[in-house]
Structure formats: structure tokens, C-alpha cells
Amino acid sequence: MAGRVLLSTQNGLYALAPLSSIGLRSNSLAASLPLFRRCPVAPISSSSRCRSHLGTVAEEKEPRKAEPFVITTPLYYVNAPPHMGSAYTTIAADAIARFQRLLEKKVIFITGTDEHGEKIAAAAEASGRNPSEHCDIVSHAYQMLWKELDIEYDKFIRTTDSRHEAVVKEFYCRVLKNGDIYRADYEGLYCVNCEEYKDEKELLENNICPMHQKPCVRRKEDNYFFALSKYQRMLEEFLIQNPDFVKPSFRLNEVQSWIKSGLRDFSISRTSVDWGITVPNDGRQTIYVWFDALLGYISALLEDGEKPGLQQAVSSGWPASLHLIGKDILRFHAVYWPAMLMSAGLSLPNMVFGHGFLTKDGMKMGKSLGNTLEPKDLVDRFGADAVRYFFLREVEFGNDGDYSEDRFINMVNAHLANTIGNLLNRTLGLLKKNCQSMLAFDSSIAAEGHPFKDTVEKLVEKARYHYENLSLSSACESVLDIGNAGNSYMDERAPWSGFKQGGASSEMAAKDLVIILEAMRIIAIALRPITPSLCLRIYMQLGFSNDQFEAVTWSDTKWGGMKAGQIMADPKPVFARIENRKEGEDEVVHKVVKDKKKTSRGQGLVQA
Ligand code: MSP
């Protein structure tokens, strides 16, 4: 049995109604069926918060201002400090946000922490703190990690923020007014880690949740329900008309088959949980953590000091352009959330992208399983650029990817230290020796009629295409191919011998260096979304200032930015090679060549 509803009556008597007996498909509560009577929600008292919030839902349309690019990460649970799995989504979101900024879009990059619910209350208790103190500590840890990873978010929303709470209550009241909230009892199997009632058929033996490998608990609660089933047809039609709503496309199939198999109303309140936002008009219940947290995507849009209202938040940028999430929370984002928005008369986001998992030994890396990888440790040892690059390059965005330290080290050494770092260093060394570090030609003149220029232009166009399609690994690959082409060009042309020969050959050699440095300039822009600090160092080696780097846009990837007379900085390695030294039979010691503090800041680096 997937779960049973207990129909509540106003006089407090309950009738147990197994799903099968009321003619429902096995996993659907189908609240719209006549047998399933809705109970009126608690009476609205004169002091009711709901009343003051109620607007005319249908007629309130969000005004469409100049459209910002609004990208969100999930709001992370604060039951435990961040791990590499949570960092992964945020790194990817940051890369996409940076790319959109390069396209000169106004970007609103939203991240934050999901702080209510049973799981968090239990974690706080286990740590001997009150929930609020606990949330402050873990939320701060997230913010600190984002700093270390060079994450440039615009909004950080905490679901315990009172402004968020006001938005959630107002939204709840809209949905209530629209007739989509009713009271009923429910009995089913609950996974606290998923914060979700499960269908028995989804579970392993002994009711074990396949995601968290922990047993679900049987619960029976008197809850408020959201009439999800009412939106089945609308969701089906929406997905037919908007096939790009769920990406990658193979995840769309999954979403469509969930919907097709019948949508079940879900409970949006908890009597057993104190640590949450109180249900308007019923102080004995708190709002279900997912119903609460999803609204963080909207409440985050409130401007500082602005009156906290749903409409104010919505008019500051809703709908989101892109929700970036892991595949485990696709159902919440691609089914529950759109239906909630439809109910409240708000626009739906443009896209939900469900990426894969980072795994360790084939198992999802996660706080609940305790098989995590410490992102802080990785950043301290290898630097933010290396961490960002590895995960975005290694894992095809959308699919799962396994972490291996050897692979990490080999990849960043080969790509960042050798292909890019060494090429730049060699070229600047030759320029210093032979041209006093000054460019003798404009790059446009140096490359006239040269196929190398076409190669770079094609690759940078390819990189743009991949970024636009969220194929971050392929975008990295295309940019790296510019570096590969630069290395081949250097080897073929051997400018050092041209300088030795003098005369016209020396002039050709000077042009060759300009050509390679122009390619390096383009790499510094095109790889900037992925490795921002490394790219700044490259740009500064090319004689530009920090401000010039800040002002760069994607249009600057056009060939021709390097001008005659530009003086390069003294050649200095931009990326430290990581030493991968085996000690003993089975112990592998990895060490950054220099002092690790300096390395993580990207200074005092040693060249490969
Ligand atoms: N709090 C909810 C999200 C609410 S959004 C309104 C939540 N939080 S979480 O901390 O458990 O997970 C946040 C994100 O991290 C999810 O997208 C999840 O997929 C992602 N990851 C957690 N472990 C992961 C891996 N091992 N690999 C990749 N991402 C994974 O769910």
C-alpha cells in the first residue's frame, strides 16, 4: 500500500480510506475525485494573516521589465556543512552566471540555505545547539566556502529570514484562496533525509530509502494538502508546449512519466515539526519544508529594505531563467513547483536543469551517507581554479561523475599548468629575450591571412555555443583546444630559431609571438567563467590591469585585442603544477609544489 488518506471531518471523526477502495490509481490521491471530500481549512479568524494578503490572483500579472538572467542553485540544507556534491551545483551555477555577465546580461545569481524542518531540528539537537544558532553556523560555513571557491552570487537567501517567511505566508494564502489547500489525514512512509513521503514501491527491502540507505518511518498526520492532482493536465500540456523546460532532455521523459502515472496531492504542513514557518490560521502546524524553501527563489529577489511582499519580489526578476539542481530533487522542481506557481497565478521558470551526481565508489556522495569529499580541503590543497576546472571539465554536465585524486591531479597539471601555463610562460620568455617584452605588431596585422586565426575564431565560437547550451565540459574542451593549437603552432614555427636567423625571419618570429599571445588573451576571456583567478593572472601577464579585466565582455574574444607597443609583464608562472609523488607501496602523497596557502590564493606559483 502506497499510503492511506484519512478523510477528516469537522467534528474530528476520521474515516480510513485505503487508496484502492476509493478508486484511485495506486499512487494517486486524485483529490479531484468526488469520493475524496475536502475538508474546510481552519476558519479564518478576524486576526487572520491570510486575509490581508489575499489579492486577486488571476489579475495580478508581473510586469515585464528588462529581463535579467536569473539563475538559482538549490537552497542547501544546513543539517551538515557543505560537501563537494553541494559545491558542484554552485560552481556550475557560478560559471553559467559569469558567462551570462560576459554576454552583458544583467544577472541575478541566487543561492542560499534551507534551514527549516525536522532534519535540521534533529541536526541542531545533535550538535547541542538551538536550531537558530545551528543554522547561523552552518549557513555561514556555506558563505565562507563560496568565497573560497570564487563564487560571485548576487543574493543569498536564508529561509529563516523573516522577509522570506512573509513571502511564504502570502503565497500560501494565495494558494488557499484559489481553493488548492485542504485538510486531510495521511498515513505513509516518510524519509526524513528526503523530507518526503515515499511510495512503498520506490523503497528497498525493509522500507529502506534507496537514496539515503536508511529506513523510512511510518507516519500518520493531520495535514494540509496541496491539490497537485488538479494540475496534472495543465502540467502535461505545459511540458508538451515547452519541451525545453526540463533539461537534459532525458530527464524530461522521466518527469513526463511521473506525471502520466498520476499525480498525488502532497501534504504541505506538519504537526510534528516545530522548527518551521507557522501555517497561517493554524498555529499548531508548520509549513512543509519544501513548500517553504522553493519560495526562496522568489523571496531572494526582494531588494534590500523593500517591503517584503510577493508582488514586490516577483517584479524584481521573476520568473527565473534557470533552476540548476541535482537529479534527486527534480520532482520538486519540475512537478510540485510549477503546479504551486500555477496555483498562485505566477509565471513558471524558463528551465530546470537536473545535473548528475558526484559519486565516490559508485555511491552518491552525500551528508547522509557520510562519504563526502571536503571542498575546503581540496581548495586549500589545490586552489579554487583547479577544483572548479576539474569538476566542470571532468563531468559531462547532466551526467554522473566519479572523483579520483589521481585523475584530478593529472588533468589540472596537463591542462592548466602545461597547455595553458607553460605556453604563456614560454612565449613571454621569448618575447622578453628578443623584443624587450613589447609587442611589435597588432595581432590583426600579425595574423593576416593566417589559418591559425581562423582556428581560434572557430574554437571560441564553439565554446560560446557550448556555454549557451550548458555543456560546460565541452566549453572547457574548446577553450583548451585553443591552447593545444597554440602549442602546436609554437612547435611548428619554432620562433626561437627565427630570432637566431635575424632579418625577415626575426620579424616573422616576433609576429608568431604576438599571434600566440593573442590566443592567450582570448583564452583568458573564454575560460574566465570556469577559472576566474587564473584568467585574471593570465590577463595581467599580458600587460592589462585588473580594471581592464573586469570590463571585458565576450565580444572581446574577437581577434585583434593585442596592439603593437603593448608591454607584457615579467613572465611569472600562472598555475602551479601539483606534485603527484608516490611514497611506499600504496600511499600516494600529493603536494602542491609551493606553500599551499600561497597556492590557493594563486600567488607565488611555480611553473610546470
Ligand atoms: N534543501 C533542498 C533543496 C531545496 S531547493 C528549494 C536540498 N538540499 S541538499 O543540500 O540536500 O542538496 C542540494 C543540492 O546538492 C541538490 O541539488 C543535490 O542534488 C546536490 N547534491 C547533493 N549531493 C550531491 C552529489 N553527490 N553530487 C552532485 N550533487 C549533489 O535538496
Side-chain angles (χ1 to χ4, degrees), residues 591-603:
K591 186 155 87 63
V592 177
V593 173
K594 265 254 172 129
D595 163 2
K596 66 182 179 183
K597 248 194 195 153
K598 283 183 181 168
T599 305
S600 66
R601 300 279 166 271
Q603 293 156 358

Side-chain angles (χ1 to χ4, degrees), residues 202-496:
E202 294 173 31
L203 303 176
L204 306 176
E205 218 176 303
N206 298 324
N207 298 332
I208 301 280
C209 165
M211 186 73 71
H212 296 100
Q213 299 290 315
K214 296 207 170 122
C216 295
V217 281
R218 189 161 288 286
R219 290 269 167 88
K220 193 172 128 185
E221 273 196 298
D222 165 17
N223 292 153
Y224 294 102
F225 278 74
F226 173 66
L228 178 66
S229 51
K230 188 172 143 184
Y231 291 91
Q232 169 137 0
R233 171 104 24 102
M234 273 187 263
L235 285 170
E236 276 167 354
E237 275 163 18
F238 174 78
L239 290 177
I240 290 169
Q241 275 156 28
N242 299 276
D244 288 338
F245 180 67
V246 178
K247 287 278 173 186
S249 49
F250 57 86
R251 300 214 190 282
L252 173 67
N253 303 337
E254 203 179 345
V255 171
Q256 282 173 320
S257 70
W258 287 331
I259 298 175
K260 203 165 156 221
S261 68
L263 289 182
R264 167 206 290 229
D265 296 351
F266 65 99
S267 79
I268 54 165
S269 72
R270 296 287 182 271
T271 40
S272 53
V273 181
D274 293 335
W275 182 241
I277 301 174
T278 313
V279 168
N281 314 317
D282 188 345
R284 292 160 306 157
Q285 303 232 18
T286 54
I287 294 179
Y288 173 44
V289 61
W290 271 100
F291 194 90
D292 160 356
L294 286 161
L295 281 155
Y297 296 143
I298 293 182
S299 64
L301 290 166
L302 284 168
E303 307 286 353
D304 288 345
E306 192 179 20
K307 184 172 155 274
L310 190 52
Q311 199 52 42
Q312 288 86 338
V314 160
S315 60
S316 298
W318 191 254
S321 316
L322 175 61
H323 288 317
L324 219 57
I325 56 161
K327 62 182 178 182
D328 52 333
I329 55 175
L330 186 59
R331 193 192 307 244
F332 295 102
H333 286 80
V335 181
Y336 291 14
W337 181 225
M340 285 163 61
L341 290 164
M342 284 172 179
S343 172
L346 297 176
S347 302
L348 270 51
N350 294 345
M351 188 185 286
V352 175
F353 186 99
H355 65 69
F357 287 154
L358 299 186
T359 56
K360 229 178 159 188
D361 308 320
M363 290 294 284
K364 181 197 173 208
M365 197 186 282
K367 295 172 269 198
S368 310
L369 289 182
N371 61 346
T372 55
L373 187 64
E374 287 302 318
K376 168 92 174 76
D377 179 48
L378 286 182
V379 175
D380 285 349
R381 293 169 66 203
F382 306 129
D385 287 317
V387 176
R388 293 170 63 108
Y389 182 79
F390 173 75
F391 286 103
L392 297 181
R393 173 69 183 88
E394 169 73 359
V395 185
E396 197 186 318
F397 201 46
N399 295 345
D400 292 352
D402 212 53
Y403 170 80
S404 131
E405 187 152 300
D406 279 343
R407 183 137 179 78
F408 180 107
I409 291 174
N410 291 339
M411 180 183 277
V412 298
N413 276 347
H415 296 187
L416 304 183
N418 291 350
T419 305
I420 294 181
N422 244 348
L423 178 62
L424 177 64
N425 206 249
R426 278 205 293 165
T427 315
L428 290 180
L430 282 170
L431 194 80
K432 182 175 180 186
K433 190 167 163 206
N434 299 289
C435 312
Q436 292 77 51
S437 292
M438 193 176 83
L439 303 187
F441 300 91
D442 286 0
S443 56
S444 53
I445 292 170
E448 251 165 26
H450 221 294
F452 181 75
K453 175 184 166 214
D454 299 339
T455 305
V456 173
E457 280 177 343
K458 278 190 190 121
L459 286 170
V460 87
E461 206 32 61
K462 237 171 132 179
R464 177 185 172 135
Y465 171 83
H466 290 311
Y467 276 124
E468 279 172 344
N469 287 291
L470 310 181
S471 305
L472 300 176
S473 176
S474 303
C476 292
E477 194 179 355
S478 300
V479 182
L480 250 284
D481 278 347
I482 301 177
N484 290 327
N487 277 294
S488 304
Y489 185 81
M490 178 76 122
D491 294 344
E492 277 160 26
R493 307 281 299 181
W496 49 90

